[in-house]
C-alpha cells in the first residue's frame, strides 16, 4: 500500500517539480529539455520576475486586500447564516438552505455581464467590489459546509448557555463557532485558494494601475509575438509560496474536519 501511495504522490508532485526545474532555466533550455536541468541553470529568473510583477504591490492587493478581506467576510457571514439555519427549524429555513444549494448550480459566466453592468452603472469597481463579488459567489458553499458542522454540535450547548443567561449571539461567538474550528479551517483554505488563483473575475473588475493582482500581472509575460516562459514559471513559483504556507498552517484543521465528517457520516447509513 505504501508503495502505491508513493507512486501516486510522485505523479501528483511531478508537475510542481517540472515547474520549479524550468523556472531555473533560460527560455532556450526550457524547449531543449523541459523535463530536467540544462546548462543555463540560473536563479536570476526569480529576481527579474519579482521586479516585473511588482510583487510587493501585487502581493498586497492579492493577499491582504482581496484574499484575506474576502475570506474573513465569507467566513463570518456564512458561519452566522449556517448557525441560524441549523438552529431555527421550519419551512422558511429549509427553503433558504436549498436556495443556497441551488445557487451553486448557476455558472458565473451566465451572470457575469449583468453583474458587471450593475456595478459599473454605480461606478463601484476594483478592489472593494471584488471583495463583495467574491463573497456573493462563494458564500453558498461555505454555508452548506458550516451547516453540516453545526448539525454535529449538540443543541444542549445552546440550551446550557441560555440557562446561564447568554444571548444567541454570545452563544454563537464564544461556544458554538469555536467548536467547529476544523470546518472553519477548511472553509478558509478552500476560499483562499479559489480567490488567490482567480484570474477571470479580477480581469473584469480591476481597471486601475496599482490594484492588479498577481494572476493579472502574470499576463504581462505573454505578448503577441514573444512569451517569456522562464519568467512566467518563476512568477508562478513565487505565487504558489503564500498559498502553500497557508495550507501548511491549516492542514491540521482541514484533516480534522474531513475525519470528523467521515465519522459522522456513519449515522446517515
Amino acid at each position: 500500500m505504501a508503495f502505491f501511495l508513493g507512486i501516486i504522490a510522485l505523479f501528483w508532485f511531478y508537475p510542481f517539480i517540472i515547474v520549479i526545474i524550468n523556472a531555473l532555466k533560460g527560455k532556450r533550455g526550457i524547449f531543449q529539455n523541459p523535463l530536467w536541468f540544462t546548462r543555463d541553470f540560473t536563479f536570476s529568473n526569480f529576481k527579474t520576475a519579482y521586479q516585473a510583477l511588482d510583487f510587493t504591490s501585487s502581493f498586497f492587493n492579492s493577499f491582504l486586500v482581496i484574499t484575506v478581506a474576502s475570506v474573513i467576510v465569507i467566513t463570518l457571514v456564512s458561519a452566522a447564516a449556517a448557525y441560524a439555519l441549523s438552529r431555527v427549524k421550519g419551512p422558511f429555513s429549509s427553503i433558504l438552505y436549498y436556495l443556497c444549494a441551488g445557487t451553486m448550480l448557476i455558472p458565473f459566466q451566465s451572470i457575469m455581464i449583468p453583474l458587471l453592468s450593475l456595478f459599473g452603472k454605480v461606478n463601484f469597481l476594483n478592489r472593494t467590489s471584488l471583495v463583495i463579488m467574491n463573497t456573493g459567489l462563494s458564500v453558498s458553499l461555505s454555508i452548506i459546509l458550516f451547516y453540516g458542522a453545526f448539525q454535529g454540535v449538540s443543541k444542549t450547548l445552546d440550551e446550557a448557555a441560555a440557562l446561564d443567561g447568554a444571548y444567541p449571539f454570545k452563544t454563537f461567538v464564544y461556544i458554538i463557532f469555536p467548536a467547529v474550528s476544523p470546518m472553519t479551517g477548511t472553509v478558509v483554505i478552500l476560499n483562499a485558494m479559489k480567490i488567490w488563483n482567480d484570474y477571470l473575475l479580477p480581469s473584469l473588475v480591476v481597471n486601475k494601475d496599482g490594484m492588479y493582482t498577481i494572476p493579472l500581472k502574470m499576463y504581462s509575460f505573454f505578448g503577441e509575438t514573444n512569451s517569456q516562459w522562464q519568467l512566467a514559471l518563476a512568477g508562478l513559483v513565487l505565487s504558489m509560496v503564500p498559498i502553500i504556507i497557508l495550507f501548511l498552517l491549516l492542514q491540521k484543521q482541514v484533516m480534522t474536519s474531513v475525519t470528523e465528517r467521515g465519522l459522522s457520516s456513519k449515522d446517515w447509513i
Side-chain angles (χ1 to χ4, degrees):
M1 179 61 72
F3 174 77
F4 289 107
L5 291 177
I7 296 297
I8 294 173
L10 179 62
F11 276 103
W12 192 84
F13 278 110
Y14 192 65
F16 297 95
I17 298 172
I18 293 298
V19 170
I20 295 173
I21 288 175
N22 287 286
L24 296 170
K25 298 188 296 187
K27 185 176 181 179
R28 179 177 297 180
I30 293 175
F31 290 98
Q32 285 179 346
N33 185 5
L35 301 180
W36 196 243
F37 294 103
T38 54
R39 293 182 179 180
D40 56 351
F41 181 88
T42 179
F43 285 99
S44 62
N45 291 337
F46 291 98
K47 181 180 179 181
T48 306
Y50 188 94
Q51 295 172 345
L53 289 173
D54 191 12
F55 194 82
T56 303
S57 175
S58 301
F59 177 82
F60 177 77
N61 290 324
S62 292
F63 189 73
L64 296 178
V65 178
I66 296 174
T67 302
V68 172
S70 299
V71 168
I72 290 175
V73 175
I74 291 169
T75 303
L76 295 179
V77 170
S78 58
Y83 175 68
L85 291 176
S86 66
R87 292 302 188 264
V88 179
K89 295 300 182 181
F92 184 69
S93 60
S94 298
I95 291 173
L96 287 178
Y97 176 79
Y98 288 111
L99 183 63
C100 289
T103 56
M104 294 173 56
L105 303 176
I106 303 175
F108 169 69
Q109 289 79 4
S110 65
I111 61 173
M112 177 174 62
I113 295 177
L115 187 65
L116 293 174
S117 177
L118 175 62
F119 277 81
K121 286 181 179 179
V122 296
N123 194 25
F124 193 58
L125 296 174
N126 293 300
R127 294 183 302 198
T128 304
S129 63
L130 193 54
V131 173
I132 296 174
M133 291 182 189
N134 282 326
T135 301
L137 295 170
S138 304
V139 74
S140 295
L141 175 60
S142 302
I143 288 176
I144 292 174
L145 293 174
F146 272 122
Y147 182 87
F150 288 135
Q151 287 286 79
V153 179
S154 177
K155 294 183 180 180
T156 56
L157 293 176
D158 301 72
E159 297 169 357
L163 291 175
D164 290 337
Y167 292 103
F169 177 77
K170 190 174 183 180
T171 302
F172 167 71
V173 172
Y174 292 102
I175 300 176
I176 307 301
F177 188 59
V180 296
S181 58
M183 182 55 71
T184 302
T186 302
V187 170
V188 168
I189 192 62
L190 288 177
N191 287 297
M193 291 177 64
K194 172 187 174 184
I195 295 170
W196 175 264
N197 294 315
D198 188 23
Y199 173 81
L200 178 59
L201 185 58
S203 68
L204 298 171
V205 175
V206 178
N207 56 18
K208 288 185 179 180
D209 292 334
M211 294 188 180
Y212 290 110
T213 63
I214 291 178
L216 292 180
K217 296 289 287 187
M218 288 280 290
Y219 188 72
S220 63
F221 294 133
F222 300 96
E224 293 183 3
T225 59
N226 184 34
S227 297
Q228 298 173 299
W229 285 102
Q230 73 282 9
L231 299 182
L233 292 171
L236 182 60
V237 173
L238 292 174
S239 67
M240 287 192 298
V241 172
I243 203 67
I244 290 175
I245 293 175
L246 178 63
F247 178 78
L248 292 176
L249 292 175
L250 296 177
Q251 65 173 334
K252 183 178 180 180
Q253 285 82 357
V254 174
M255 295 306 299
T256 301
S257 174
V258 172
T259 303
E260 288 181 351
R261 297 313 302 164
L263 292 175
S264 62
S265 66
K266 292 180 180 179
D267 299 332
W268 305 345
I269 302 175

